[in-house]
Amino acid sequence: SCCGGRERDQGTMDVKDGELVLKASGWEHLYIPEPSVSNYAITGHESQVVSMALQPGESLQGEPGTMMYLSHGIQQGVSCEGFLGRCCSGEACYVVNYTNESDDSNKAYVALTPNYPTAKVVPVDLSSPNVNGTLIAQQGAYMASYGNVEIDISLDCNFCRCCCSGLGLVRQKLSGDGTAFLAATGTIVQKVLGEGETILVDTNCVLAFAESCKLDLRRAGGILGMIGGGEGIFNTTLTGPGLVIVQSMNETMFQEALVADKMYRR
């Protein structure tokens, strides 16, 4: 009926409506290229898998223990070059190199998956003008990379920020012009901030942001807000320009929820 239709329009939202709300807010779903225009594909909704097609002579780097399968022609090798930066930023001392050493001109395939359950794979093209070659990420976020990607550390020596911003003193710094694959949990959304644009983010939700973005803190309201608001004393602010990626639940929150035999609101 007409009345019933009106009640439905006012009381519910379909998927299209939800997409419009997300777009209007300035946020968007994580962009993953179609396999037809990319040499990799990400499959699954939870515990995702990234499958990469490698031409002869090409290589993919990954964390130890992330390999799911390899096709014929792929050879594995382990290196420890740059181990200090990796270890200090929450990664293993070693990195595994998967190289297509086929004698013919055929592609070979590598499939990797994150080391912890329910994780999602987050691709970031470091050559994008919204990243401009350098990405700052939470410790341990790196999972794999294709092309020129270097892992190092970024130090935040501001006492308040390193204690309360959610990323700590030592953050992960990924630089180059290749593609980095991060591991994250929850729902992943991204936003490209304009010059001087600022957003407020829960301290547990920051996954990564372009180095051009400025990270800072803002008090979570008054005394009652800080005590009873559920967000702690501070929230994190990020000011553009550049790409920001946030997650609805980080790995630590997920582990704490499992230990406590409960799931948080996120």
Side-chain angles (χ1 to χ4, degrees):
S1 67
C2 178
C3 181
R6 187 181 303 113
E7 289 177 353
R8 182 172 61 253
D9 291 341
Q10 293 177 349
T12 63
M13 290 179 59
D14 59 20
V15 174
K16 184 178 179 181
D17 293 330
E19 293 292 337
L20 291 174
V21 171
L22 185 65
K23 184 176 181 180
S25 71
W27 292 86
E28 59 185 353
H29 290 297
L30 183 69
Y31 171 70
I32 300 177
E34 293 293 330
S36 59
V37 296
S38 175
N39 59 345
Y40 67 87
I42 296 173
T43 54
H45 296 289
E46 306 289 342
S47 300
Q48 290 183 325
V49 177
V50 56
S51 303
M52 174 74 71
L54 298 177
Q55 299 286 352
E58 289 188 328
S59 295
L60 174 72
Q61 289 189 327
E63 274 191 307
T66 57
M67 190 273 287
M68 184 175 176
Y69 69 77
L70 307 175
S71 70
H72 176 73
I74 296 292
Q75 298 295 323
Q76 300 181 71
V78 176
S79 65
C80 59
E81 183 179 353
F83 74 95
L84 183 60
R86 284 199 300 273
C87 291
C88 292
S89 63
E91 301 296 334
C93 294
Y94 300 95
V95 65
V96 183
N97 300 289
Y98 304 94
T99 306
N100 182 359
E101 297 185 357
S102 302
D103 295 330
D104 51 31
S105 60
N106 293 330
K107 294 179 181 178
Y109 299 88
V110 179
L112 305 180
T113 187
N115 277 323
Y116 52 91
T118 76
K120 293 180 173 65
V121 179
V122 181
V124 182
D125 181 3
L126 298 183
S127 66
S128 164
N130 297 321
V131 179
N132 202 25
T134 305
L135 187 77
I136 306 299
Q138 68 178 21
Q139 284 196 28
Y142 172 87
M143 188 198 80
S145 59
Y146 171 77
N148 176 31
V149 177
E150 296 184 4
I151 308 171
D152 207 341
I153 60 173
S154 169
L155 297 178
D156 189 343
C157 297
N158 180 284
F159 178 77
C160 288
R161 284 201 306 264
C162 72
C163 292
C164 305
S165 70
L167 294 181
L169 169 65
V170 182
R171 308 173 299 186
Q172 200 166 80
K173 181 179 179 180
L174 305 174
S175 57
D177 56 10
T179 300
F181 297 95
L182 310 181
T185 51
T187 299
I188 316 299
V189 292
Q190 64 182 29
K191 181 178 176 66
V192 177
L193 298 178
E195 182 74 40
E197 181 182 2
T198 299
I199 57 168
L200 191 71
V201 183
D202 182 279
T203 56
N204 293 310
C205 294
V206 180
L207 175 63
F209 55 92
E211 190 180 38
S212 56
C213 294
K214 178 184 176 182
L215 180 141
D216 211 335
L217 297 173
R218 183 181 298 174
R219 217 172 47 174
I223 299 298
L224 290 179
M226 290 187 286
I227 295 175
E231 301 297 333
I233 299 177
F234 295 104
N235 289 128
T236 300
T237 63
L238 290 161
T239 303
L243 175 70
V244 172
I245 305 174
V246 301
Q247 57 189 352
S248 61
M249 174 179 283
N250 63 25
E251 183 184 2
T252 301
M253 293 170 63
F254 180 70
Q255 291 174 345
E256 289 176 350
L258 292 180
V259 171
D261 194 26
K262 66 178 182 180
M263 294 302 291
Y264 292 121
R265 59 185 173 87
R266 294 191 179 85

